[in-house]
Amino acid sequence: MKDLSLHILDLVENAIAAKAKKIEISIQEEPKEDRLVIEIKDDGMGMDQEVSQKATDPFFTTRSSRRVGLGLSLMAQAAQEAGGRLRIESELEKGTKVATTFQYHHIDRKPLGDMIETMTTLLLGNPELEISYIHQKDGKSYVLNSQMLKERFMNQSLTHPEVIQWLRKHLREGLAQIGVQG
């Protein structure tokens, strides 16, 4: 994967497959501390200790449809290549938290990528879920969640062009206000 937003999309899709109903995506950009932290927390099925310890092995998967599980292993590799690491906290029937840190200015850190498209895809493609997105940079925060979207457009389909246009504009302007390019 060429950028971190695609990794985020993949990990959220894993959470959805694990029957999550609530997903929190948090990005903390701390350039002065040379740190980028991406956390994805869900209330899905969770993993026991044995499975969570093997979860970053690309040849381990709990799926029967394929014999490899690349999402977590690719994110872990991206973090390691950029002087960081991936941590998994998980408990059966309670959910999972994946926290990935990167050295912000590391030459091998992948760019964050297009969070506008990633969040548009996640929010509009999963209207039944509670999705929260918090992005912080240099002490400034941008927050968007599916509840805000549903309240604003309660009588419209989330796939209506007006909703899509509003969401992309809200994301672009909100991220720009904290110094993040979409």
Side-chain angles (χ1 to χ4, degrees):
M1 290 184 221
K2 65 180 182 171
D3 63 54
L4 298 174
S5 70
L6 296 175
H7 287 282
I8 292 167
L9 182 63
D10 188 53
L11 294 181
V12 171
E13 287 174 351
N14 287 349
I16 294 167
K19 300 184 180 3
K21 297 294 178 216
K22 184 177 182 181
I23 300 168
E24 298 173 16
I25 301 160
S26 170
I27 299 173
Q28 299 162 14
E29 293 187 54
E30 300 168 334
K32 292 175 186 162
E33 288 80 27
D34 200 24
R35 182 175 44 241
L36 169 66
V37 179
I38 297 172
E39 291 183 355
I40 299 168
K41 183 179 178 183
D42 70 65
D43 67 349
M45 296 185 312
M47 299 177 272
D48 62 29
Q49 187 174 0
E50 180 183 353
V51 171
S52 80
Q53 287 176 345
K54 293 179 182 177
T56 58
D57 180 342
F59 300 106
F60 175 79
T61 184
T62 58
R63 294 182 185 176
S64 58
S65 61
R66 64 179 191 217
R67 298 202 310 221
V68 294
L70 296 175
L72 287 167
S73 64
L74 288 174
M75 183 67 131
Q77 179 183 353
Q80 289 170 350
E81 289 172 352
R85 65 178 249 203
L86 180 139
R87 286 185 338 268
I88 300 170
E89 297 173 21
S90 191
E91 191 174 336
L92 279 174
E93 306 303 323
K94 296 206 176 177
T96 300
K97 176 180 164 185
V98 176
T100 313
T101 58
F102 302 85
Q103 189 179 339
Y104 192 87
H105 298 290
H106 197 287
I107 193 166
D108 291 324
R109 182 180 65 83
K110 293 179 181 183
L112 185 55
D114 193 343
M115 286 305 297
I116 294 170
E117 283 307 309
T118 294
M119 291 312 304
T120 299
T121 298
L122 291 171
L123 288 164
L124 300 183
N126 302 285
E128 72 286 0
L129 300 180
E130 243 183 87
I131 299 176
S132 298
Y133 172 48
I134 302 160
H135 198 131
Q136 299 173 319
K137 184 172 183 183
D138 292 329
K140 298 177 188 171
S141 294
Y142 170 72
V143 177
L144 178 67
N145 61 56
S146 55
Q147 192 60 36
M148 292 166 51
L149 192 61
K150 289 173 189 171
E151 287 173 8
R152 180 170 178 90
F153 296 101
M154 68 174 66
N155 296 323
Q156 271 184 300
S157 164
L158 293 184
T159 58
H160 189 280
E162 181 182 321
V163 176
I164 297 168
Q165 183 179 18
W166 179 88
L167 178 58
R168 286 188 174 131
K169 182 178 183 211
H170 191 281
L171 283 158
R172 185 174 47 260
E173 290 174 357
L175 290 172
Q177 286 179 354
I178 65 167
V180 176
Q181 294 179 345

